[in-house]
């Protein structure tokens, strides 16, 4: 018997202040969850209120607040350079965060748990589009290997707790995300955020050229983060791995994780031209081939979640428009603060 999620649930969004977590928060509210009049709660503790790296802190918080539905969107994230420079941090911090929360969920027997993985869990050289079965079939991309290993450990822990203890837990593997509240750090951002900031600043400063990392030849799939928010709510409401209509792998076994994406990708070079055009930057784009490209191409097979009834709705162009708009608003707010 499936435990349907109800309006009076107490939700805990770990990482609610981040890009993915805030989008999930928006989607839950949109679908009527967290309505105090109906007994619902949305718990979004800050780092000051809850140290996810501390096992005791997490356990005590669970005992006090008793969440019934838990979504793990918290993680230490960063781009190629950050992953290459701080591999130990990415491995140990992510292992701690996810294990502390998942263990607390198991010990308190939460109603449903959803863990967010990442498309970087899959091998570097793999046939496309990437199916869920491709996990652990080859070597990982070296530039984010430690982050990927931590995420794989989380996915496998979710699966193991389902099998051994019947914990109702699932995982989603989103493709590359972008949108409001992205990280625009000069050394720690992902490609979409890095390009938006670079082209915006170049236009403001009237620079003749902008230098982008790598060759521009790799292809990437990008999904606007609000599509992920909708996918999370959809999965919590409608995907139960042990139900008769749930997706199974090619061997007939239940799947406890599903890919989430758009089903289409774009060359990084074309993405740069698109962002520059939308920002109104008309200078030269130079490619620094001394910087790493990462995986040549990553495109997820999203047929399983599509067959359940979910699909992405926000186009790349519309998503970029929204992201640029939110970036400019944040810039203007920062100026007002100073």
């Amino acid at each position: 018997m499936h435990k349907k999620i109800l309006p009076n649930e107490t939700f805990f969004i770990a990482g609610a202040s981040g890009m993915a977590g805030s989008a999930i928060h928006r989607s839950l509210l949109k679908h009527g969850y967290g309505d105090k009049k109906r007994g619902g709660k949305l718990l979004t503790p800050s780092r000051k209120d809850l140290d996810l790296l501390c096992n005791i802190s997490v356990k005590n918080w669970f005992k006090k607040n008793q969440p019934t539905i838990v979504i793990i969107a918290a993680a230490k994230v960063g781009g190629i350079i950050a992953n290459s420079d701080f591999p130990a941090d990415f491995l140990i911090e992510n292992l701690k965060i996810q294990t502390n929360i998942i263990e607390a969920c198991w010990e308190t027997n939460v109603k449903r748990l959803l863990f967010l993985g990442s498309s970087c869990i899959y091998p570097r050289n793999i046939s496309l589009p990437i199916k869920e079965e491709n996990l652990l079939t080859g070597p990982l991309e070296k530039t984010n290997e430690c982050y990927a290993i931590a995420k794989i450990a989380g996915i496998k822990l979710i699966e193991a707790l389902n099998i051994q203890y019947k914990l109702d837990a699932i995982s989603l593997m989103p493709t590359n995300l972008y949108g409001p509240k992205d990280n625009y750090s000069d050394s720690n951002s992902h490609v979409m955020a890095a390009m938006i900031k670079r082209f915006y600043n170049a236009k403001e400063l009237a620079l003749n050229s902008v230098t982008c990392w790598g060759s521009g030849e790799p292809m990437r799939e990008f999904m606007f983060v609000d599509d992920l928010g909708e996918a999370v709510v959809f999965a919590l409401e409608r995907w139960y791995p042990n139900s008769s209509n749930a997706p199974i792998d090619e061997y007939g076994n239940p799947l406890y994780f599903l890919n989430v994406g758009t089903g289409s990708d774009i060359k990084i070079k074309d993405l740069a031209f698109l962002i520059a055009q939308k920002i109104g930057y008309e200078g030269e784009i130079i490619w620094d081939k001394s910087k790493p490209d990462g995986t040549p191409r990553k495109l997820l097979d999203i047929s399983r979640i599509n067959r359940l009834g979910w699909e992405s709705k926000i186009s790349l162009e519309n998503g970029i428009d929204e992201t640029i708009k939110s970036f400019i608003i944040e810039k203007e707010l920062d100026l007002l603060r100073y």
Side-chain angles (χ1 to χ4, degrees):
M1 187 71 179
H2 305 312
K3 301 172 185 173
K4 298 288 185 185
I5 61 171
L6 303 169
N8 65 350
E9 304 287 1
T10 298
F11 284 81
F12 167 38
I13 309 171
S17 64
M19 178 174 63
S22 58
I24 293 165
H25 192 191
R26 288 193 293 274
S27 288
L28 286 168
L29 290 172
K30 176 182 164 184
H31 289 271
Y33 297 107
D35 185 346
K36 291 179 182 177
K37 293 176 184 175
R38 302 169 79 184
K41 290 182 186 176
L42 286 182
L43 305 178
T44 59
S46 66
R47 289 183 185 180
K48 185 181 175 184
D49 298 325
L50 174 58
D51 181 4
L52 296 176
L53 293 169
C54 175
N55 186 264
I56 298 298
S57 173
V58 172
K59 286 186 177 183
N60 288 339
W61 188 90
F62 265 73
K63 284 177 188 173
K64 180 182 176 183
N65 293 280
Q66 300 182 334
T68 56
I69 311 292
V70 176
I71 301 158
I72 305 176
K76 180 178 178 62
V77 297
I80 288 174
I81 300 300
N83 273 271
S84 299
D85 290 347
F86 308 106
D89 294 352
F90 277 88
L91 183 53
I92 197 165
E93 289 188 29
N94 283 307
L95 284 173
K96 282 183 177 181
I97 290 166
Q98 64 202 34
T99 306
N100 287 343
I101 301 171
I102 294 169
E103 187 178 34
C105 288
W106 167 48
E107 289 179 348
T108 57
N109 195 29
V110 299
K111 190 170 175 179
R112 295 217 82 187
L113 164 63
L114 188 147
F115 172 67
L116 284 185
S118 165
S119 60
C120 72
I121 62 168
Y122 293 112
R124 172 184 167 84
N125 297 313
I126 200 76
S127 59
L128 300 174
I130 304 168
K131 295 178 179 291
E132 287 86 353
E133 286 91 346
N134 293 134
L135 182 65
L136 297 175
T137 59
L140 297 164
E141 164 60 39
K142 277 290 179 186
T143 54
N144 56 20
E145 184 178 58
C146 285
Y147 177 76
I149 287 170
K151 286 294 184 182
I152 292 168
I155 296 159
K156 287 298 180 182
L157 181 54
I158 292 286
E159 183 179 317
L161 287 168
N162 266 284
I163 293 167
Q164 188 174 345
Y165 294 107
K166 309 303 179 194
L167 180 70
D168 188 353
I170 52 178
S171 301
L172 292 180
M173 300 303 110
T175 190
N176 301 290
L177 299 170
Y178 70 98
K181 295 204 171 185
D182 206 341
N183 176 10
Y184 292 96
S185 159
D186 288 331
S187 60
N188 204 22
S189 58
H190 289 102
V191 60
M192 182 78 79
M195 284 185 175
I196 287 172
K197 182 178 181 180
R198 208 164 288 172
F199 287 118
Y200 178 85
N201 289 344
K203 183 188 176 186
E204 291 291 291
L205 298 170
L207 300 180
N208 293 324
S209 66
V210 167
T211 300
C212 294
W213 289 352
S215 66
E217 294 302 316
M219 297 191 73
R220 289 290 182 272
E221 178 183 14
F222 294 97
M223 183 170 69
F224 190 63
V225 72
D226 282 35
D227 268 339
L228 174 67
E230 290 296 295
V232 165
V233 175
F234 176 90
L236 286 171
E237 289 181 336
R238 305 190 204 178
W239 173 37
Y240 295 86
N242 294 304
S243 66
S244 58
N245 66 338
I248 54 175
D249 67 18
E250 59 190 23
Y251 308 106
N253 302 312
L255 277 167
Y256 297 100
F257 68 98
L258 292 178
N259 293 334
V260 183
T262 64
S264 61
D265 55 3
I266 184 173
K267 191 178 283 192
I268 295 298
K269 196 171 278 187
D270 294 334
L271 178 69
F273 286 128
L274 179 59
I275 293 171
Q277 180 187 44
K278 286 186 173 293
I279 285 174
Y281 176 73
E282 297 178 350
E284 183 185 4
I285 301 174
I286 298 168
W287 294 93
D288 180 359
K289 295 181 181 178
S290 69
K291 295 291 194 295
D293 270 340
T295 305
R297 193 180 180 202
K298 271 198 308 189
L299 180 65
L300 297 181
D301 183 327
I302 54 169
S303 59
R304 285 183 167 115
I305 196 165
N306 285 167
R307 282 199 293 272
L308 280 175
W310 179 88
E311 61 180 21
S312 68
K313 299 238 177 6
I314 302 160
S315 70
L316 182 63
E317 292 224 8
N318 289 342
I320 290 174
D321 286 338
E322 286 299 311
T323 307
I324 291 171
K325 196 187 300 178
S326 68
F327 171 76
I328 292 170
I329 290 169
E330 280 299 314
K331 290 278 286 186
E332 289 170 348
L333 287 173
D334 284 343
L335 288 172
L336 288 172
R337 290 186 192 110
Y338 294 102

